[in-house]
Amino acid sequence: MMKPKVVGYLRRDISGQRTRRHEMEIRAMAKSSGFDLARTLVAGPTAPASLAALLTVVGRVGAVAVITPALDHVQFRADEIMAVCALITLDQRSIPPHGFARHQPSAPHRGFPGRA
């Protein structure tokens, strides 16, 4: 049976000295989670262009998720990624639900529209 494919993504300008370690951690997380890491994209500071390339690769390989060190690597584009696949970060080690770029700190939900 084929493992579901994932794509790694990190920005060299954010990872800095930790770039190699982040690449290894992405590989290790993919393996331990039962995924096949199809490719890791290491981008520079030209984030919009590299995020477009990431979405192209995700579509091409049929990835079910993108693994990135932290949300700052995808900046404000998390929703665009999560429109096509899941987004996993090394720092929170979970898959946020589609449409939610960030987990809010747990707080009582009183006063939120649509909440009981």
Side-chain angles (χ1 to χ4, degrees):
M1 192 169 121
M2 288 179 58
K3 294 178 183 177
K5 291 186 186 331
V6 293
V7 174
Y9 179 81
L10 61 109
R11 297 236 329 249
R12 188 178 281 114
D13 56 316
I14 295 174
S15 289
Q17 300 280 319
R18 297 167 299 163
T19 298
R20 297 285 294 170
R21 192 176 80 208
H22 281 162
E23 286 185 81
M24 289 190 298
E25 287 176 5
I26 287 169
R27 199 173 304 124
M29 177 181 267
K31 188 174 182 179
S32 69
S33 302
F35 293 124
D36 171 17
L37 183 64
R39 191 165 164 202
T40 298
L41 296 178
V42 181
T46 55
S50 56
L51 276 162
L54 170 64
L55 294 173
T56 300
V57 170
V58 164
R60 191 174 294 145
V61 303
V64 298
V66 167
I67 302 178
T68 193
L71 282 173
D72 57 347
H73 288 255
V74 295
Q75 292 184 316
F76 307 109
R77 308 291 287 275
D79 282 330
E80 287 175 61
I81 294 166
M82 288 188 291
V84 295
C85 68
L87 180 62
I88 304 170
T89 59
L90 295 176
D91 56 0
Q92 66 187 34
R93 298 183 179 272
S94 66
I95 304 173
H98 285 263
F100 287 92
R102 296 183 185 278
H103 284 297
Q104 298 299 321
S106 47
H109 291 300
R110 287 190 306 276
F112 278 49
R115 301 272 187 187

